[in-house]
Structure formats: C-alpha cells, structure tokens
Amino acid sequence: KAAEEEAGFLARLQDEEPAYEAKLDETRRAHEAQLSAARLELAEVEAEIEALRPELQTRREQSEVELTRKNEIDADLRTLRSEIQKSEAAHDREMDGLKKMLEYATKKRDELQANIVKEQSEIAEADAAVAEQEEKLRRVKVQKGSNGAKASTKSNEFKASNNNEDDSDDNGGA
C-alpha cells in the first residue's frame, strides 16, 4: 500500500511539476521586474542626489560664511557692550564729580548768602547807630545854637582847628 501511495504521489508530482515550474517562473519574472524597477528608481534617486550635491555644498559653504559672519558680529557686539559699560562707568564718575562740585558750590553759596545777610544786618545796625548819633549831634547843635554866640564861636574855632589839622595831615602826612 505504501508503494501505491508513493507511486500516486510521484505521478501527481509529475503532473503538477509543470504548473509549479510555471508558477516559479512567473514569480521569478515578477521579482526580476520589481528588482529592475527598484534598480531604476535607485538610479534616479542617486542621480537626484548627485544633482543636489553641488547645491548642498553651496548651502554648506553659505552656512559656514554666515556662521563666521555671525561670530564676527557677536564679537563686535561684545566689544561694543564693553565700550558702553566703560563709557557708562566714566559717565557715572563724571556725574558723581559734578554732583560733588554742585554740592560744594551750593554749600559755599549758602555760606556766602548767610554772610551777606549777617553783613547787611550789621550794616543796618551801623546805619541805625549812625542815624542815632547824627540825631544826637543835631540836638547838640540845636542846644548849642540856643546857648549863644559864644558856643558858636568856639564851635567855629574847633572846626577851623580840625580843618587845619586835616590840611596838615594831607600835606605832611603823605
């Protein structure tokens, strides 16, 4: 029985062999067609890549140039910041100096103003004292005028002697 089965199996294999062979050939051709299409697509992609390489290289070079320029600008900005900070520090020092000078000038002005007020007060007091003395002198003159010609003569003699002394001081003292 096993021999019969084996013989039947072999006969069936021989009958089906051309169909298997045809199916294998069909599958191989389909795979070869796919492989050819894939190779063709790969060649097209590689051609595109080769076409894009110069542009990619140009962009890389531009990127490097831009990066270099950016670094130069960054360095310039750092330098400018440093200069601005130095300038601000110098400006602050100048402002502090000017503030101190202003404070000093204000203090001196206030001192001078106080001195002026004091001197004006002293002058006013002196003017009042002079006015008081002039008033006393006027009263004395009025009283002398009422005492008679004697007092007037003595007064004139006194004035004359004072004038002579003043003249001698002017002539001899110089």
Side-chain angles (χ1 to χ4, degrees):
K1 183 169 184 176
E4 281 180 22
E5 282 183 20
E6 189 178 324
F9 182 71
L10 285 176
R12 198 174 61 208
L13 274 177
Q14 285 178 354
D15 287 341
E16 292 179 0
E17 186 176 344
Y20 285 130
E21 295 254 345
K23 191 167 190 156
L24 280 175
D25 285 341
E26 182 182 324
T27 304
R28 187 177 61 244
R29 282 192 297 274
H31 282 250
E32 285 176 358
Q34 285 178 349
L35 185 60
S36 290
R39 283 184 184 148
L40 208 94
E41 187 177 340
L42 179 63
E44 288 174 0
V45 168
E46 286 177 349
E48 284 180 34
I49 289 173
E50 287 303 314
L52 292 175
R53 276 190 204 279
E55 184 179 340
L56 180 62
Q57 183 62 30
T58 301
R59 287 191 182 186
R60 280 185 186 150
E61 289 171 359
Q62 286 175 343
S63 177
E64 288 175 8
V65 167
E66 289 172 1
L67 182 62
T68 301
R69 182 67 185 134
K70 179 194 167 287
N71 290 338
E72 290 171 356
I73 290 171
D74 286 344
D76 289 344
L77 285 174
R78 282 191 298 274
T79 301
L80 288 173
R81 282 187 190 120
S82 174
E83 289 176 6
I84 287 171
Q85 288 171 346
K86 288 177 186 175
S87 176
E88 286 175 346
H91 179 263
D92 290 345
R93 285 191 302 272
E94 287 179 22
M95 289 301 293
D96 289 341
L98 290 173
K99 285 178 185 177
K100 288 178 182 177
M101 287 175 61
L102 179 62
E103 289 171 2
Y104 178 78
T106 302
K107 179 182 172 186
K108 286 297 181 185
R109 185 199 67 213
D110 292 344
E111 288 175 3
L112 289 173
Q113 187 67 31
N115 287 340
I116 289 171
V117 168
K118 181 181 173 187
E119 287 178 12
Q120 286 175 341
S121 173
E122 290 173 357
I123 289 171
E125 288 174 9
D127 284 345
V130 166
E132 184 180 323
Q133 291 299 321
E134 286 176 347
E135 181 60 29
K136 284 181 183 179
L137 182 62
R138 187 189 60 77
R139 283 186 206 149
V140 168
K141 283 183 182 179
V142 167
Q143 283 178 354
K144 281 185 181 182
S146 63
N147 284 338
K150 205 181 216 189
S152 177
T153 307
K154 285 186 180 182
S155 174
N156 287 338
E157 289 173 4
F158 178 72
K159 284 182 186 177
S161 68
N162 278 343
N163 283 340
N164 288 339
E165 287 177 14
D166 287 343
D167 290 342
S168 65
D169 285 343
D170 288 342
N171 294 333

